Amino acid sequence: MKKEEVPQDESCFSNTTMKEVVYAVDKEGNYNKALSSGWEAKTIVLDKSLELLEERLKDTIINIKNGKQSPIAYYMELHRMDIPTLASYVEMWQWRVKRHLKSKQFKKLNEKTLKKYAAVFEITLTDLKNPKF
């Protein structure tokens, strides 16, 4: 793409002074950095991704209220984490984190384990045990 063809479409950056760096070809045919305020195709994909993440969060809240999942699942979704990521942060095996996502297992966790999760999510133990949806 030529430098003068770099998209300047509406995006999440449009209302800020932030711009995204992209690479474009200048008049001499060399690749250089160029600033873009947005790209319609990318904006559509990002918006759709955020919608899907919000749907997953809503489903998780319903599952927690129905006793199917633990509050750890809510905070994991809220922080856009998956099981491998969370497991590495709390320094536990993935299978243990997966068990802790179940409501029944969550109720059996000791305070030391709960504190690890609370520290990762930067919340109090009270907030971990009683999330405010």
Side-chain angles (χ1 to χ4, degrees):
M1 157 181 1
K2 295 180 182 174
K3 197 166 187 173
E4 55 274 358
E5 295 173 353
V6 172
Q8 301 297 330
D9 299 331
E10 291 290 318
S11 74
C12 59
F13 297 124
S14 298
N15 297 331
T16 67
T17 57
M18 289 179 55
K19 300 260 184 196
E20 181 178 15
V21 176
V22 296
Y23 288 92
V25 179
D26 64 14
K27 291 176 184 174
E28 289 83 40
N30 299 316
Y31 280 95
N32 286 310
K33 296 176 187 174
L35 297 177
S36 173
S37 63
W39 196 336
E40 183 183 15
K42 186 175 183 177
T43 301
I44 291 169
V45 171
L46 286 173
D47 288 345
K48 186 64 179 170
S49 296
L50 290 173
E51 283 177 29
L52 291 172
L53 290 169
E54 287 301 316
E55 282 179 35
R56 284 179 45 178
L57 188 61
K58 287 177 186 176
D59 290 343
T60 301
I61 291 169
I62 291 168
N63 287 337
I64 292 167
K65 289 180 177 179
N66 292 335
K68 294 179 182 176
Q69 286 185 298
S70 76
I72 294 170
Y74 168 73
Y75 289 108
M76 187 177 83
E77 290 290 340
L78 189 65
H79 288 86
R80 312 291 194 237
M81 293 181 171
D82 58 5
I83 291 172
T85 303
L86 181 56
S88 69
Y89 276 106
V90 293
E91 298 175 336
M92 290 183 207
W93 293 100
Q94 291 180 32
W95 65 267
R96 286 189 66 202
V97 171
K98 194 172 183 177
R99 284 186 77 210
H100 298 165
L101 296 176
K102 298 176 184 175
S103 183
K104 210 175 202 181
Q105 296 300 318
F106 177 77
K107 292 175 184 173
K108 297 177 185 178
L109 294 178
N110 60 38
E111 195 166 311
K112 181 181 175 185
T113 303
L114 291 172
K115 282 183 179 179
K116 279 187 174 185
Y117 284 110
V120 167
F121 299 132
E122 297 178 336
I123 56 173
T124 65
L125 276 176
T126 305
D127 288 339
L128 179 62
K129 293 177 183 179
N130 306 301
K132 297 172 183 90
F133 306 120

